[in-house]
Amino acid sequence: MKKEFKLMKGNEALAEAAIRAGCDAYFGYPITPQSEVLEYLSREAHNRTGMVVLQAESEIASINMVYGAAGTGKKVMTSSSSPGISLMQEGISYIACAELPCLIVNVSRGGPGLGTIQPAQSDYFQSVKGGGHGDYHLIVLAPSTVQEMSDFVEFSFELAFKYRNPVMILTDGALGQMMEKVELKPQVERFHEEFNWATTGRKNGNSRVITSLNLEAEKMEEINIHLQKKYEMITKNEIRFEAINCEDADYLIVAYGLVARICQKAADLAREKGIKAGVFRPITLFPYPYEELKNAAKNVKGILDVEMNAGQMIEDVRLAVGNELPVAFHGRMGGVVPSPEEILEKLEMKFLGGSNE
Amino acid sequence: MNEKKMTGDEHYETMIAEENICINENIVYDKPHDALYSTPMHYCPGCGHGVVHRLIAEVVEELGIIHDVIGVAPVGCSVLAYNYLNIDMSEAAHGRASAVATGIKRVLPDKYVFSYQGDGDLAAIGTGETIHTCNRGENILVIFINNGIYGMTGGQMAPTTLANMKSSTSPFGRDVQTMGYPLKITELVAQLPGTYYVTRQSVHKAVNVRKTKKAIMNGFLYQKENKGTCFIEVVSNCPSNWKMSPVESNKWLDENMLPFYPLGDIKIPSNSSKNNGE
């Protein structure tokens, strides 16, 4: 079959991928910088596959519609940006406990508060460490290209159904808005699978119930233990990362998402100057590639962690490599994107006694 | 026979013992056995929830739709409705039952979907979802139990608490100047073009139980027409938190709740003959 390429915005590539992945329903609410997802789906989806696209009255309603529809065993998703994702946290916690598969996309922007509409990575803790109440985890994927914005949609649904767990694509406003060439996947048929947990109308003698409630402490503990075991399985099976020029590296730059690409440029500039730098990019932020990072860092002299926030993932980097190795940080906040030059400068300053010039 | 005056219960027990009336030919009413589990309910004596649950079960059985119904339970006293109703159900976060029901109905448009919500859930924390679900005319049935109080959390003031009515958070009576007015959300949603059938009923007397059952029957039947949201308010009691006996609470409901929340149809489909209004 001939490959299909298109020049697309990240948000549109993601929306197109949702249609092609056979997604059954999207519920969302406008917020910059991700409104194109809702717009694109409103325009394209229903006529092509019969997919339900509904603009809800709020992000709170959106996530609860997702909860309802996901409980029937359909492929369901929503998308939003940071403040909207904050509003969804209660619903996400319910979905995680009720073990419903779904996709949540956060095209994040700078905070806190209303913040800005420019890209940021300041929702790392919220996405990876919990966000809502209770002990739970999302599977969190961080694309770094428009191609991955597209590819990760089908992959997310695969993981969501495999583990009956909500999956989050954590990206940012820059990736959502920038245009790149994308190879589109062929259209997948919407599936009509029946699951033995889904509420689609009582089948035999006993009804099915979607709930996250248990008033008996011991029973609720059992549910928690079950969830924790599932997270262990996910950690064992689903870690994804990319290591670029790490084999001979003296210095590692650790970054995820779009920032990892900027860091790649910085590493190239470093190598031109004779500094052997490599880039380690976690693709799954939960589960986090602790062991893989530790291995990649075995022979390096130092690590520079770069993020568009005040330093959040750096805690996981330190967990991975321990105290043996110096870990420096460079971050920009509030929607500012770091340049390759400033990253290189930081690397030299931290580990090579200042700028060479 | 015994000269001493017997109570009703004693009289009944004597009758059973002497005449053995518990035989099949004598059964005039039996509760539903398929859509309703036989497990005892946790509701307080005299509470209306149990009656409404039973009516839903009866309607679901009589319409033969048990394999095509999905219910949504709220946060509140009826949070465990799925322990009593043997139908597929989804629990919802506080206030979000109609959004959850929307999600279910949109992906399963051929199924019968209903939400079952209390006044705090539907008319306080979930007002936005209620209004917008009705305004979109989602083809679902909303069953709204209004007892003017937060039952499960122990009797706090609800949006529907009457003026001057006492609750644990309006211990001197609801002062409308500082606490706002009781909300007639049923009249409010009836204004929206998305609602198809809006009615207010009660279950405090046998005649009202029959009318409520008819309303619930209509609410399910209308879903097949795909013409909008059906909304049934059931004015109910809360003996425990009203701090009354069941009988007193029903009398109080009659004398205080119903003058403010009058029973009857508020909006009926224009071409329909299924009118049971007063």
Side-chain angles (χ1 to χ4, degrees):
Chain A
M1 216 174 84
K2 201 168 161 256
K3 284 185 176 175
E4 199 180 342
F5 292 99
K6 214 171 170 185
L7 184 67
M8 292 183 105
K9 269 189 173 190
N11 286 335
E12 292 179 344
L14 183 134
E16 175 65 30
I19 300 171
R20 290 180 183 236
C23 182
D24 292 297
Y26 171 94
F27 303 96
Y29 185 81
I31 181 172
T32 308
Q34 67 77 53
S35 298
E36 291 85 357
V37 181
L38 174 57
E39 288 171 346
Y40 189 93
L41 289 172
S42 302
R43 199 163 65 228
E44 293 282 329
H46 188 73
N47 291 341
R48 280 166 52 185
T49 64
M51 176 179 168
V52 172
V53 181
L54 181 60
Q55 180 173 335
E57 64 270 29
S58 68
E59 288 89 351
I60 298 175
S62 304
I63 195 69
N64 284 285
M65 289 172 186
V66 166
Y67 171 95
T72 70
K74 302 280 184 187
K75 275 188 194 171
V76 193
M77 68 178 287
T78 184
S79 65
S80 188
S81 182
S82 308
I85 297 288
S86 292
L87 276 173
M88 291 185 185
Q89 292 303 329
E90 183 198 32
I92 293 174
S93 171
Y94 277 63
I95 289 170
C97 187
E99 294 194 88
L100 301 179
C102 69
L103 169 60
I104 302 149
V105 181
N106 182 0
V107 185
S108 63
R109 56 190 248 185
L114 197 49
T116 174
I117 57 171
Q118 313 298 332
Q121 296 182 319
S122 39
D123 300 346
Y124 180 87
F125 283 150
Q126 186 197 52
S127 315
V128 172
K129 307 296 179 191
H133 59 285
D135 281 316
Y136 73 90
H137 281 292
L138 308 174
I139 299 170
V140 184
L141 304 174
S144 71
T145 60
V146 172
Q147 184 67 55
E148 282 185 344
M149 289 281 276
S150 168
D151 293 346
F152 284 2
V153 173
E154 199 180 348
F155 181 44
S156 296
F157 280 124
E158 209 180 290
L159 291 173
F161 278 88
K162 185 174 173 189
Y163 296 101
R164 278 185 62 186
N165 204 71
V167 176
M168 174 174 278
I169 292 181
L170 178 61
T171 179
D172 63 61
L175 260 177
Q177 296 297 326
M178 67 195 255
M179 293 182 92
E180 287 187 300
K181 188 174 87 170
V182 201
E183 183 190 339
L184 299 170
K185 290 185 174 176
Q187 177 71 47
V188 174
E189 283 235 13
R190 286 172 59 202
F191 69 7
H192 299 282
E193 208 172 318
E194 280 279 343
F195 297 95
N196 61 11
W197 47 264
T199 48
T200 55
R202 203 183 96 186
K203 291 297 161 304
N204 299 308
N206 284 317
S207 53
R208 293 161 181 170
V209 175
I210 304 284
T211 183
S212 58
L213 173 77
N214 212 307
L215 294 173
E216 286 172 59
E218 287 76 13
K219 291 256 173 69
M220 197 62 220
E221 188 180 39
E222 275 173 31
I223 292 170
N224 270 280
I225 290 168
H226 165 75
L227 288 177
Q228 293 304 319
K229 278 189 181 150
K230 182 169 82 173
Y231 302 143
E232 276 171 31
M233 281 292 283
I234 293 170
T235 304
K236 204 175 134 216
N237 299 335
E238 305 302 345
I239 287 171
R240 305 279 195 288
F241 67 99
E242 188 183 17
I244 306 153
N245 297 330
C246 290
E247 301 80 13
D248 65 337
D250 289 329
Y251 301 97
L252 277 195
I253 307 177
V254 184
Y256 71 91
L258 184 69
V259 180
R261 285 171 76 184
I262 302 168
C263 290
Q264 213 177 310
K265 178 72 181 168
D268 290 347
L269 293 176
R271 286 204 177 240
E272 280 170 22
K273 285 180 138 186
I275 306 162
K276 285 197 261 176
V279 173
F280 185 92
R281 171 171 84 97
I283 295 173
T284 51
L285 300 181
F286 183 89
Y288 195 82
Y290 293 106
E291 280 302 311
E292 293 75 4
L293 175 54
K294 192 179 168 189
N295 289 337
K298 223 181 282 172
N299 301 315
V300 305
K301 295 173 188 160
I303 291 179
L304 178 67
D305 172 78
V306 185
E307 302 177 60
M308 288 195 288
N309 57 39
Q312 299 191 13
M313 183 179 72
I314 191 168
E315 295 192 0
D316 287 317
V317 174
R318 287 203 171 112
L319 273 177
V321 301
N323 293 325
E324 309 293 297
L325 206 59
V327 179
F329 175 70
H330 180 61
R332 298 301 300 265
M333 292 172 281
V336 180
V337 181
S339 70
E341 291 75 17
E342 72 179 73
I343 294 167
L344 175 60
E345 199 185 311
K346 195 79 176 192
L347 184 76
E348 291 179 310
M349 206 173 77
K350 289 282 178 183
F351 297 116
L352 298 153
S355 173
N356 289 352
E357 281 141 39
Chain B
M1 284 241 340
N2 198 341
E3 290 298 308
K4 199 180 85 189
K5 201 170 179 210
M6 287 192 291
T7 65
D9 280 354
E10 282 166 348
H11 182 70
Y12 181 71
E13 277 165 26
T14 314
M15 258 175 62
I16 291 172
E18 286 177 359
E19 297 172 37
N20 191 23
I21 59 165
C22 286
I23 50 176
N24 278 338
E25 300 91 283
N26 287 347
I27 292 176
V28 290
Y29 171 77
D30 196 7
K31 69 173 188 175
H33 288 286
D34 195 9
L36 203 63
Y37 289 111
S38 54
T39 176
M41 295 184 183
H42 72 282
Y43 299 118
C44 306
C47 171
H49 273 308
V51 180
V52 182
H53 284 15
R54 190 249 300 168
L55 294 180
I56 292 169
E58 282 180 2
V59 168
V60 164
E61 283 191 13
E62 284 168 31
L63 292 177
I65 57 172
I66 201 160
H67 303 297
D68 296 304
V69 174
I70 300 135
V72 181
V75 168
C77 281
S78 49
V79 66
L80 295 170
Y82 48 76
N83 284 352
Y84 312 129
L85 291 167
N86 188 2
I87 56 178
D88 274 9
M89 288 197 80
S90 185
E91 167 51 17
H94 195 24
R96 318 302 168 213
S98 64
V100 173
T102 296
I104 297 170
K105 184 73 179 190
R106 287 287 177 132
V107 294
L108 298 175
D110 298 332
K111 303 287 178 180
Y112 297 87
V113 178
F114 72 94
S115 73
Y116 186 102
Q117 304 178 252
D119 41 68
D121 191 79
L122 179 139
I125 193 168
T127 313
E129 282 76 6
T130 304
I131 301 264
H132 284 282
T133 298
C134 291
N135 197 47
R136 285 191 306 267
E138 297 293 339
N139 288 300
I140 63 165
L141 166 62
V142 177
I143 298 173
F144 164 40
I145 311 295
N146 175 14
N147 57 12
I149 208 148
Y150 283 81
M152 191 183 228
T153 45
Q156 295 81 12
M157 182 177 66
T160 50
T161 297
L162 297 175
N164 302 317
M165 184 175 165
K166 285 182 181 171
S167 74
S168 68
T169 51
S170 57
F172 311 110
R174 181 178 193 159
D175 174 6
V176 293
Q177 294 301 320
T178 57
M179 301 169 179
Y181 296 84
L183 182 60
K184 290 184 174 178
I185 195 151
T186 306
E187 277 82 352
L188 210 149
V189 300
Q191 303 302 313
L192 304 171
T195 49
Y196 188 54
Y197 171 56
V198 180
T199 188
R200 181 184 285 121
Q201 303 296 334
S202 75
V203 290
H204 72 305
K205 288 178 182 167
V207 58
N208 298 100
V209 172
R210 282 198 294 276
K211 283 180 181 168
T212 301
K213 181 175 172 180
K214 213 168 168 190
I216 294 173
M217 181 80 82
N218 288 347
F220 277 111
L221 285 172
Y222 287 145
Q223 275 194 52
K224 274 287 151 200
E225 297 181 21
N226 280 334
K227 287 196 178 146
T229 312
C230 294
F231 191 101
I232 302 171
E233 174 179 341
V234 181
V235 181
S236 191
N237 58 350
C238 184
S240 296
N241 288 306
W242 289 2
K243 306 193 191 313
M244 295 174 197
S245 74
V247 174
E248 280 167 4
S249 75
N250 280 341
K251 191 161 172 280
W252 196 88
L253 182 152
D254 228 346
E255 290 168 359
N256 297 277
M257 292 287 276
L258 297 190
F260 190 78
Y261 299 114
L263 302 181
D265 291 335
I266 297 168
K267 189 178 193 178
I268 53 166
S270 49
N271 58 350
S272 172
S273 56
K274 299 189 194 82
N275 176 8
N276 64 336
E278 311 221 312

